Amino acid sequence: MFGINGTEMVILVVVALVVIGPKRLPEYAQKLRDFVRQMRRMAEGAKDSVRRDFGDDFKDVDWQKLDPRQYDPRRIVREALVEEDAAIRESKRQERASQESSSPESSGAALSIETDTEAAPTREKSPIERFQAQIDQRDRSAAAPFDPEAT
């Protein structure tokens, strides 16, 4: 609980016996017991108070979803970059479409460009999308590569 192993606990007990002394040790042990009981009562009172204040909504909270250990900063940044990259490409596409529709003298050229893009609907993937495709293709049954010298 506190990162203390058995050997360290034995050493602490021996030091407590020497410092406190065998005559006062039962008194201090009782004080420690009372303190722990009081802390438990206070914790239970705080839990009851929170339940009472939040009401029925408190029971419906998904605590696993709020666990900070599940958040991977690399995944969060990657997803944000993919969203931003897609939004930038979409805005550029809309900008080109509005420029093509607003220029009447290049309507013939615009038609030829549109037919070319319709013939080849493939578009260039962003680096993030290429990385995501590589992740999807990875064999999940095999262990991920590990470099012991890198750690």
Side-chain angles (χ1 to χ4, degrees):
M1 181 170 135
F2 295 108
I4 299 174
N5 61 26
T7 308
E8 292 172 347
M9 184 59 98
V10 169
I11 292 171
L12 286 174
V13 169
V14 169
V15 169
L17 282 171
V18 171
V19 171
I20 295 174
K23 292 182 181 176
R24 292 185 300 188
L25 190 62
E27 177 186 339
Y28 282 102
Q30 185 177 9
K31 287 182 181 180
L32 178 64
R33 183 194 68 196
D34 293 340
F35 177 74
V36 169
R37 285 183 179 172
Q38 183 181 6
M39 288 296 117
R40 282 187 179 170
R41 272 188 248 122
M42 288 175 60
E44 287 298 320
K47 285 181 187 177
D48 293 340
S49 175
V50 168
R51 285 188 188 115
R52 195 173 41 249
D53 290 344
F54 285 107
D56 292 334
D57 294 338
F58 186 72
K59 295 176 186 174
D60 298 335
V61 174
D62 183 13
W63 295 108
Q64 293 288 18
K65 192 183 234 184
L66 300 175
D67 186 8
R69 292 174 290 183
Q70 73 176 347
Y71 296 109
D72 180 18
R74 293 171 294 186
R75 180 184 52 84
I76 294 169
V77 169
R78 188 179 322 121
E79 289 173 357
L81 289 174
V82 167
E83 291 172 5
E84 182 179 312
D85 198 31
I88 290 170
R89 279 196 313 276
E90 181 63 27
S91 67
K92 285 182 180 179
R93 187 191 63 76
Q94 289 176 354
E95 185 179 300
R96 275 186 271 146
S98 66
Q99 287 176 353
E100 290 172 359
S101 64
S102 66
S103 60
E105 65 273 350
S106 64
S107 61
L111 288 175
S112 66
I113 291 173
E114 288 175 354
T115 56
D116 291 341
T117 56
E118 289 174 2
T122 59
R123 61 176 176 79
E124 183 182 332
K125 289 185 177 181
S126 71
I128 302 294
E129 289 173 329
R130 289 194 304 266
F131 177 72
Q132 199 69 31
Q134 289 175 351
I135 289 175
D136 294 339
Q137 292 175 353
R138 195 183 109 201
D139 182 19
R140 301 251 185 239
S141 63
F146 179 73
D147 184 8
E149 294 177 8
T151 56

